[in-house]
Amino acid sequence: MRYISTRGDLQGCPGNTFTEILLGGLAPDGGLYLPETYPQITHAELDQWRGLSYAGLAFAVLSKFIDDIPPADLQWLVDKTYTAEVYCNGRAGDDVRDITPLRWLEPGLGLLQLSNGPTLAFKDMAMQLLGNLFEYVLAKKGEEINILGATSGDTGSAAEYAMRGKHSVRVFMLSPFGRMSAFQRAQMYSLQDANIYNIAVRGMFDDAQDIVKAVSNDHDFKARHRIGAVNSINWARVAAQIVYYFKGYFAATGGVSGSNDTPVDFAVPSGNFGNICAGHIARMMGLPIRRLVMATNENDVLDEFFRTGIYRPRATAETHTTSSPSMDISKASNFERFVYDLVGRDPAVIRELWAKVDAGGSFDLSKTAYIAKLPDFGFVSGMSSHVDRLATIRQTFEKYGVMVDTHTADGLKVALEKRTPDSPMVVLETALPVKFEETIVEAMGRLPERPAAMQGIERLPQRVEVMDVSVDAVKRFIESRLGG
Ligand SMILES: *Cc1c(COP(=O)(O)O)cnc(C)c1O
């Protein structure tokens, strides 16, 4: 399997194997990596895969995309990633052996529980594997990496819990001082591992993000200190997320003895388009997904595209701060992968469209032939607001006795609008309610349940360096920790 860039400069150029693109972010031409072709899954394979454990399925799916890690090693990596010990943080009573249990709310409407990992959000599903892949590949190459990132909450903690204690990996994570919830702060800052550095900057998330960009643009510093990233455009993260669409499909169509003829709809709370992009790829591989229901919050850049054909990324000042903060995006970084497929995988078209986006503009496909192709890809979309979110959280609890988080509520709200009687609808649960206690209290007048492992984490000692918004200060800090 070879990887190409959506912007095309790498087309036909050999040598971009999975492990070669694993540690990088963007392709050198500014595009995103995608496999040269999508592997096609036969009916016979679906039949064989149906009875597999999560780790078994991860091996089966990922083997289609990875041909430069020996199979025995890949098996070992997925076996040590997808264990009940790692994914056991969900609510009491969930069958943790399942890793991602499907919970039926009523016949034909299910929640795929992806939030049982250490940070209680679906990002653990891919990030935990990434941690093990990084350690493995770095050891083979005899290299080290220093991951620099900025977080407003979920990504930073998922990255830290995936990389803690790993050989040859250090994490420097910037967060906005005083802006995350007490729970999120405790989750990150209470880590005592020597390879994890939390830096709180006296500013907003965007200031932290700008520092990361400035450091990454200092090519000399970046090369000298082997600075890397684990952001949502990383191909391995997308690839790892494909697995749970298969798992969810099998669970929704009757477990081990079910059939592979029933199409299923998936509803996905979306921000950077990484999660639903994995669903798109599963569908392109031949998994019988009928529709991909994309839900946004008030930041409806993507909903607007699927309704109108116009993609208009917003300026930071136009981005709303909402009660589903992990979906507060102004620009959906993985969206380029989908548009590449939509325009018939023509890199010249992508270069033209993204020349506009990268210059701060927008593009309009509504009067092109591409728009007629959109229905072939199965996407439908909708939007959910703060008021919708509160109502959905309340009603889901009253009707089913299940408490959902604010992001999952956005997905559920749109799923209910788009659902039809002829296909089961599976809503991806992207986090547990305890991560967003303030809004749960607003909706329900009471606190959400807390998994046992998270009791009292706010009282643990915290390790964090507080700094002004300064690129130099961050660089000096990194250098001091690397010993010069
Ligand atoms: C990251 C995140 C999302 C958005 O996922 P994308 O892959 O960026 O579309 C939704 N919900 C939660 C809880 C998240 O952490």
Side-chain angles (χ1 to χ4, degrees):
M1 177 61 73
R2 290 286 177 269
Y3 289 85
I4 54 170
S5 161
T6 51
R7 303 204 187 170
D9 283 1
L10 305 165
Q11 213 101 36
C13 138
N16 291 298
T17 64
F18 180 84
T19 62
E20 281 162 355
I21 64 164
L22 174 68
L23 303 172
L26 289 176
D29 62 5
L32 275 65
Y33 288 111
L34 271 178
E36 207 167 31
T37 55
Y38 294 126
Q40 296 301 302
I41 306 308
T42 62
H43 226 82
E45 275 171 314
L46 279 182
D47 288 340
Q48 284 163 15
W49 291 4
R50 178 171 277 280
L52 295 176
S53 67
Y54 196 93
L57 191 58
F59 177 77
V61 172
L62 292 169
S63 295
K64 300 276 180 189
F65 294 98
I66 304 175
D67 58 10
D68 61 341
I69 295 179
D73 291 5
L74 183 60
Q75 184 76 63
W76 174 75
L77 288 164
V78 296
D79 282 349
K80 83 171 189 177
T81 302
Y82 297 109
T83 67
E85 289 70 43
V86 175
Y87 294 94
C88 65
N89 299 287
R91 307 169 197 83
D94 284 344
D95 186 0
V96 291
R97 278 166 312 176
D98 237 3
I99 312 293
T100 59
L102 179 73
R103 178 167 190 159
W104 291 109
L105 296 177
E106 64 179 47
L109 179 66
L111 265 188
L112 187 63
Q113 302 183 321
L114 303 177
S115 314
N116 294 322
T119 72
L120 312 183
F122 85 98
K123 291 193 171 70
D124 291 327
M125 293 305 303
M127 205 68 97
Q128 286 288 319
L129 180 68
L130 206 64
N132 288 327
L133 280 169
F134 269 37
E135 188 174 50
Y136 171 84
V137 169
L138 288 165
K140 289 250 148 159
K141 295 187 173 180
E143 290 174 9
E144 294 187 358
I145 197 167
N146 295 301
I147 292 165
L148 176 64
T151 187
S152 56
D154 292 339
T155 308
S157 57
E160 290 186 352
Y161 280 76
M163 304 295 169
R164 63 189 293 201
K166 294 272 183 276
H167 295 293
S168 314
V169 184
R170 289 181 203 83
V171 178
F172 294 89
M173 190 58 66
L174 275 54
S175 51
F177 181 63
R179 306 249 164 213
M180 297 191 300
S181 73
F183 184 86
Q184 286 177 317
R185 284 200 302 270
Q187 251 190 336
M188 286 179 58
Y189 304 163
S190 68
L191 288 181
Q192 301 296 330
D193 304 77
N195 69 328
I196 303 293
Y197 299 99
N198 283 301
I199 302 172
V201 293
R202 293 189 190 89
M204 308 284 283
F205 168 68
D206 289 305
D207 298 314
Q209 180 94 313
D210 287 344
I211 294 176
V212 172
K213 281 189 197 143
V215 174
S216 303
N217 284 333
D218 180 342
H219 298 290
D220 176 51
F221 185 90
K222 193 176 168 190
R224 198 150 29 98
H225 299 302
R226 296 170 300 274
I227 302 292
V230 287
N231 42 23
S232 81
I233 54 154
N234 181 290
W235 164 253
R237 285 182 61 185
V238 177
Q241 290 171 178
I242 296 171
V243 178
Y244 52 70
Y245 284 88
F246 281 85
K247 193 76 182 144
Y249 175 80
F250 294 137
T253 53
V256 178
S257 59
S259 100
N260 294 316
D261 297 317
T262 318
V264 171
D265 291 346
F266 283 91
V268 189
S270 295
N272 264 322
F273 206 76
N275 199 358
I276 201 163
C277 185
H280 158 69
I281 295 172
R283 191 174 182 275
M284 298 294 278
M285 292 168 74
L287 185 68
I289 297 175
R290 187 182 65 154
R291 291 185 316 178
L292 289 160
V293 179
M294 196 214 49
T296 69
N297 65 17
E298 290 88 334
N299 296 292
D300 60 350
V301 188
L302 292 167
D303 179 40
E304 181 175 79
F305 174 79
F306 285 104
R307 279 186 293 106
T308 65
I310 298 171
Y311 181 56
R312 189 176 65 83
R314 314 288 197 256
T316 308
E318 254 191 287
T319 309
H320 307 279
T321 300
T322 75
S323 46
S324 44
S326 301
M327 290 154 60
D328 290 350
I329 58 103
S330 37
K331 207 184 260 178
S333 45
N334 277 289
F335 187 53
E336 185 172 333
R337 287 194 161 108
F338 168 68
V339 177
Y340 181 67
D341 288 338
L342 178 66
V343 302
R345 298 198 136 213
D346 184 344
V349 178
I350 295 296
R351 283 197 297 271
E352 193 188 314
L353 297 177
W354 259 268
K356 297 177 190 170
V357 171
D358 290 343
S362 59
F363 63 74
D364 179 359
L365 299 185
S366 67
K367 290 171 197 69
T368 68
Y370 304 125
I371 205 74
K373 296 253 183 292
L374 205 47
D376 298 350
F377 292 90
F379 278 88
V380 290
S381 80
M383 184 271 229
S384 161
S385 68
H386 182 69
V387 174
D388 297 326
R389 207 167 290 137
L390 297 183
T392 306
I393 291 169
R394 222 168 14 239
Q395 285 157 13
T396 307
F397 192 74
E398 280 162 12
K399 202 159 169 199
Y400 310 112
V402 175
M403 213 186 268
V404 292
D405 100 290
T406 53
H407 306 75
T408 309
D410 290 334
L412 192 51
K413 186 261 183 183
V414 178
L416 291 170
E417 284 169 3
K418 304 291 178 189
R419 175 182 186 212
T420 64
D422 42 335
S423 273
M425 172 72 78
V426 174
V427 180
L428 301 195
E429 173 206 78
T430 56
L432 290 192
V434 65
K435 294 196 89 168
F436 305 96
E437 276 179 346
E438 296 81 355
T439 309
I440 299 297
V441 170
E442 188 181 344
M444 310 276 311
R446 54 177 268 199
L447 284 167
E449 259 177 54
R450 218 177 239 235
M454 309 286 158
Q455 300 293 346
I457 60 165
E458 290 93 336
R459 291 192 296 276
L460 295 174
Q462 299 192 354
R463 213 172 128 248
V464 58
E465 193 80 20
V466 182
M467 278 182 205
D468 287 332
V469 176
S470 155
V471 176
D472 281 336
V474 170
K475 282 183 177 168
R476 276 198 305 276
F477 180 81
I478 294 173
E479 283 180 323
S480 72
R481 292 310 183 271
L482 301 183

